[in-house]
Amino acid sequence: MKIVVLDGYTLNPGDLSWDAFKKYGELTVYDRTPADKITERISDAEIVYTNKTPLSKEVFDACPGINFVGVLATGYNIVDTEAAKAKGIPVCNIPTYGTSAVGQFVMALLLEMCHHVWAHSEFVKQGKWEISPDFCFWNYPLIELAGKTMGIIGFGRIGQAAAKAAQGFGMNVLAFDEYQNKDLESDTLKYTSLDELLEKSDVISLHCPLFPSTQGIINKDTIAKMKNGVKIINTSRGPLINEQDLADALNSGKVSGAAVDVVSTEPIKSDNPLLNAKNCIITPHIAWAPLESRARLMNIAVDNLAQFIAGKSVNVVNK
């Protein structure tokens, strides 16, 4: 059985091992695959893994030997799942590997917006503390989180992890999700409507999947409903935000800060309006990427294949 990984570098730049896959067949791993090489590289493959390399209907038509697709991520919009389903090919994703890592990263972004730790460290190295007439100084407003409200749009595993971390800092949480587990509610966590969340939150963090109904959920109209000075965090999907609308709100001061780990086109393009917006932190899609998280992803990807071979497919997104 031939196994091909089309774009393995981001999962494993050299600090993990692919050896566990070799138990199940002949393995070929490509760091990256350009669009014009996709069909050629998997023309005789039975098992195909992809992260961000697209698998279209045309690819499936040209590669009739494929009988399993593994997505090395949670999001699977790069695969034409209906075309795969029509051919009886299960598409399996990795739904839970990054919960702790992304929840932790949300708080890293929020704390950076509250304290500007790196900037103040740089000020010290530039000698600005040395010449200060006082024993301390700060060049940005410093913010305490206790008693403030975090609104979380999308309250699955990662949203819940972010909520737990926020509560650890003394924050109250408002959650918006189509599916509500009322057992999670407490004195400091309540489900609410989207409009109430927008109105009452000091910080809004996005954790919903990208669907037509959620694309551009942060836009000039929803921003207008928010508190003046709100902060916005996105570690989910870039197109959840209308980036020009957010940039305008940052530049006007309506939104006092934003931190995004994802953008509409990745890698980011030079004309992205957030690059020149005030008070905007942009990180290069790394919330998911601690070694521990990637190792967990690798292990689940192997198990997905093992379960498929055993006739007990799991994490199938196109049943």
Side-chain angles (χ1 to χ4, degrees), residues 68 90 92 303-316:
F68 173 91
C92 300
D303 186 65
N304 282 350
L305 178 56
Q307 295 299 326
F308 165 73
I309 291 172
K312 302 180 292 185
S313 294
V314 295
N315 298 322
V316 179

Side-chain angles (χ1 to χ4, degrees), residues 11-72:
L11 170 58
N12 179 18
D15 53 0
L16 295 172
S17 171
W18 295 104
D19 286 352
F21 288 94
K22 295 177 181 178
K23 174 182 177 181
Y24 301 101
E26 176 190 348
L27 177 68
T28 302
V29 180
Y30 297 100
D31 284 348
R32 303 166 188 86
T33 295
D36 62 353
K37 294 289 186 181
I38 296 171
T39 300
E40 174 186 330
R41 289 181 173 180
I42 60 174
S43 60
D44 59 348
E46 296 167 78
I47 307 298
V48 177
Y49 279 92
T50 181
N51 190 326
K52 295 295 181 287
T53 302
L55 297 177
S56 64
K57 180 180 184 301
E58 290 73 21
V59 169
F60 287 117
D61 288 342
C63 304
I66 298 173
N67 55 34
F68 173 91
V69 170
V71 181
L72 298 171

Side-chain angles (χ1 to χ4, degrees), residues 66-118:
I66 298 173
N67 55 34
F68 173 91
V69 170
V71 181
L72 298 171
T74 301
Y76 51 88
N77 56 298
I78 44 84
V79 178
D80 187 331
T81 54
E82 289 304 311
K85 182 178 179 179
K87 293 180 179 295
I89 303 169
V91 178
C92 300
N93 74 337
I94 316 289
T96 60
Y97 72 95
T99 301
S100 296
V102 179
Q104 174 180 309
F105 197 77
V106 169
M107 297 312 296
L109 293 174
L110 179 55
L111 291 171
E112 177 62 20
M113 286 193 287
C114 288
H115 297 289
H116 303 274
V117 173
W118 181 259

